[in-house]
Amino acid sequence: MSRICELTGKGRLTGNNVSHANNKTKRVFLPNLQNVTLLSEKLERSFKFRVSTNGLRSVEHNGGLDNWLLKTKDEKLSKGALKVKRELKKATKEAA
């Protein structure tokens, strides 16, 4: 399973461990991913995602899963998140 946030697209970064003697060895910085269940207010359902803690804060800051999905570009979202976004758009068209 890849270490990529499903909502923000954040993935691993590479860098160096630097010792006291200034020796440099390659290392990987992984995002802090958590399995979370997020509620969609418009669809009245819950969805499971693997989200970074930073992504979870962003979702809450933007007013929930529905607002986040509608504001975010499709390139950043995973296949599962895109599926939910399509359902959301369909539900808002039917309600209007």
Side-chain angles (χ1 to χ4, degrees), residues 4-90:
I4 297 175
C5 176
E6 292 187 47
L7 297 181
T8 60
K10 278 183 178 279
R12 59 184 230 160
L13 295 171
T14 57
N16 290 314
N17 278 334
V18 181
S19 70
H20 187 67
N22 206 27
N23 297 328
K24 295 173 184 70
T25 56
K26 283 291 185 186
R27 63 156 296 176
V28 177
F29 295 93
L30 295 174
N32 183 8
L33 296 178
Q34 306 294 324
N35 293 318
V36 295
T37 303
L38 298 171
L39 296 171
S40 170
E41 295 169 2
K42 292 179 184 171
L43 298 176
E44 298 176 352
R45 285 180 48 201
S46 61
F47 298 94
K48 288 187 177 183
F49 291 109
R50 196 154 187 237
V51 182
S52 64
T53 51
N54 184 31
L56 193 55
R57 290 183 67 201
S58 299
V59 169
E60 292 300 320
H61 179 76
N62 280 292
L65 180 64
D66 298 343
N67 290 340
W68 173 259
L69 288 174
L70 294 174
K71 287 181 183 179
T72 307
K73 295 179 183 176
D74 290 353
E75 298 87 50
K76 283 188 171 184
L77 300 173
S78 68
K79 289 181 183 177
L82 279 172
K83 196 174 185 180
V84 175
K85 185 175 181 176
R86 274 188 241 110
E87 286 181 42
L88 259 174
K89 285 185 176 178
K90 188 183 285 186

